[in-house]
Each structure stands twice: as structure tokens, then as C-alpha cells.
């Protein structure tokens, strides 16, 4: 699958220190989500009980049926990710000195979409007494994965003698997206997408999606 992390700053080891510096520069009353907004990263602030205290606009744009806020709690449909996040939030609630950074990110799988990578950071720490004295205890930063752009549909159409509809489908498939995602983007039924994909296979002399993607990515 070909995709990249559009919020790679969240994985930067110096992220926490940079966030502290931003908060200090913007004043002692700066809400944590407002500070992280300055870095244009999706963020969810949690209070000491694990409830959602604040959400910035970038995070709201990520929410869907698989990942959203429900009754002031973070709702995650993926059972494995839900269990791991619950453990981290329980640690936040019960431990007087929780780890400042979860050792492993939580990968939240979503239906018909690429995953969201969630990292938890403790907002207040011993070395950051100048941070706002609020109930907010942790920040969840979200890394939203996005597909790489595929070859232009017009070039694919001419190269492989595809119809305009087949070329658009092939362009989306070349990004590593599933036929289901392609169907949603093109606003067609999954059956139509599958039929068009079969035609693309025939015209490109390929038999599997991985083989097709490898061929399409050679087109510049």
C-alpha cells in the first residue's frame, strides 16, 4: 500500500518540548489544544478523568463513524485500538505519575479509510510548571494517513486505452486504495467498481491489484 503520514511532526521526539515552548510563548492561559493548533496538528485534550475536555478543528475533521467523540468519551470502533486506548486512559486516571509518552502509538483501523495513528502525551510534567494549571492532563495527537496521488487519469486512459470512468478508478486504485474506497470517492456502487476493475485488469494484462498498482505507478 502506498501512503504517507500527513502529520509526521507528531512523531518528532522534540514534539513535547516544542509544544511547551509554544504554550509559554502564547501565555500562561493558553489551552493545550490551542497551543497544538499552532502546529496544525489534530489534537484531543483529556481531563484527569479521561473525559474529552477540548477538541481542535483539525481533529474534528478526522471524525467519522469509526472514530469520534460520544458522550464526552473517545469512541473507537476498532476493538484492539479501543482496548489499548482504554488502558492508557485508565493509567492516566489511576496513576499519580503516568508515563509522559505512550511507548507505542495506537493504530486505529477504519472501514473504507486508511488508519489513524494516535499518540498520548501527558500535558503537565515536573519540568513544565509554567504550563496552564487546568484539569487537562493529556493530549491525544492524531496522525491521519493519506494516499499518495496517483498518475493522472488522462494519461492512464491514453496509455492503456481505458474509458474515462475506468481511468478514474485506476487512478484511485494506484494510490493503494481498495475498490470500496474508490467506489465511495467516485460515488458509484461497489459492484460497478468491481466490474470496472475487471475491465482495467483485462486492458492492462494484470490479474491482481498489487500487480496492477505496480504497473500503474510506472506511468509518469
Amino acid at each position: 500500500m502506498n501512503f504517507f503520514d500527513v502529520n509526521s511532526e507528531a512523531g518528532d521526539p522534540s514534539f513535547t518540548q516544542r509544544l511547551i515552548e509554544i504554550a509559554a510563548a502564547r501565555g500562561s492561559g493558553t489551552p493545550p489544544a490551542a497551543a497544538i493548533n499552532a502546529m496544525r496538528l489534530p489534537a484531543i485534550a483529556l481531563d484527569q478523568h479521561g473525559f474529552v475536555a477540548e477538541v481542535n478543528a483539525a481533529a474534528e475533521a478526522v471524525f467519522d463513524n469509526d472514530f469520534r467523540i460520544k458522550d464526552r468519551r473517545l469512541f473507537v470502533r476498532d476493538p484492539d485500538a479501543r482496548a489499548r486506548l482504554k488502558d492508557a486512559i485508565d493509567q492516566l486516571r489511576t496513576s499519580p505519575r503516568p508515563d509522559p509518552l505512550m511507548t507505542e502509538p495506537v493504530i486505529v483501523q477504519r472501514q473504507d479509510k486508511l488508519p489513524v495513528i494516535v499518540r498520548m502525551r501527558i500535558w503537565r510534567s515536573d519540568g513544565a510548571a509554567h504550563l496552564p494549571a487546568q484539569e487537562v492532563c493529556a493530549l491525544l495527537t492524531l496522525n491521519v494517513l493519506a494516499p499518495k496521488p496517483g498518475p493522472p487519469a488522462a494519461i492512464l486512459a491514453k496509455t492503456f486505452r481505458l474509458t474515462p470512468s475506468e481511468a478514474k478508478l485506476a487512478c484511485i486504485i494506484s494510490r493503494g486504495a481498495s475498490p470500496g474506497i474508490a467506489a465511495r470517492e467516485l460515488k458509484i456502487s461497489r459492484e460497478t467498481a468491481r466490474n470496472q476493475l475487471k475491465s482495467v485488469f483485462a486492458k492492462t494484462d494484470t490479474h491482481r491489484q498489487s500487480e496492477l498498482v505496480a504497473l500503474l505507478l510506472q506511468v509518469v
Side-chain angles (χ1 to χ4, degrees):
M1 182 176 293
N2 297 282
F3 54 81
F4 64 96
D5 182 347
V6 298
N7 294 303
S8 58
E9 274 191 290
D12 189 331
S14 64
F15 172 87
T16 302
Q17 182 58 38
R18 291 162 63 194
L19 182 57
I20 290 171
E21 291 171 356
I22 287 175
R26 294 170 70 92
S28 60
T30 304
I36 206 168
N37 241 343
M39 299 179 71
R40 300 181 181 179
L41 291 174
I44 301 171
L46 301 180
D47 67 16
Q48 57 189 333
H49 303 294
F51 286 102
V52 174
E54 191 172 359
V55 179
N56 67 10
E60 289 180 349
V62 177
F63 297 152
D64 55 21
N65 289 333
D66 298 315
F67 185 84
R68 66 182 188 274
I69 305 301
K70 182 178 180 181
D71 298 327
R72 291 193 60 208
R73 294 282 192 183
L74 181 61
F75 170 81
V76 177
R77 192 177 301 277
D78 177 4
D80 180 63
R82 182 170 63 243
R84 292 193 59 199
L85 284 170
K86 181 180 182 301
D87 288 344
I89 292 173
D90 285 346
Q91 180 188 1
L92 175 70
R93 294 171 53 213
T94 60
S95 174
R97 298 177 63 85
D99 294 336
L101 173 64
M102 288 168 50
T103 56
E104 294 289 338
V106 176
I107 312 300
V108 180
Q109 301 293 341
R110 299 185 293 171
Q111 296 180 349
D112 294 333
K113 289 184 180 180
L114 293 173
V116 175
I117 301 176
V118 181
R119 291 180 174 86
M120 177 183 286
R121 289 172 174 81
I122 303 305
W123 176 247
R124 291 185 295 187
S125 63
D126 293 340
H130 57 281
L131 286 177
Q134 302 172 348
E135 283 195 348
V136 170
C137 289
L139 284 174
L140 301 180
T141 57
L142 315 179
N143 293 34
V144 186
L145 301 181
K148 291 181 177 179
I155 294 180
L156 293 180
K158 291 181 179 179
T159 303
F160 300 108
R161 297 183 179 180
L162 305 178
T163 67
S165 296
E166 292 168 351
K168 290 177 182 178
L169 176 78
C171 183
I172 296 172
I173 293 296
S174 71
R175 299 177 343 212
S178 68
I181 292 177
R184 286 186 59 179
E185 288 194 28
L186 295 172
K187 297 181 180 180
I188 59 177
S189 69
R190 294 195 178 201
E191 184 63 27
T192 298
R194 283 193 290 267
N195 289 336
Q196 289 181 355
L197 184 57
K198 289 179 182 178
S199 179
V200 173
F201 280 148
K203 292 181 179 180
T204 57
D205 194 24
T206 56
H207 304 87
R208 296 184 300 274
Q209 187 168 333
S210 59
E211 185 181 356
L212 173 63
V213 171
L215 175 65
L216 296 178
L217 289 179
Q218 297 180 50
V219 180
V220 180

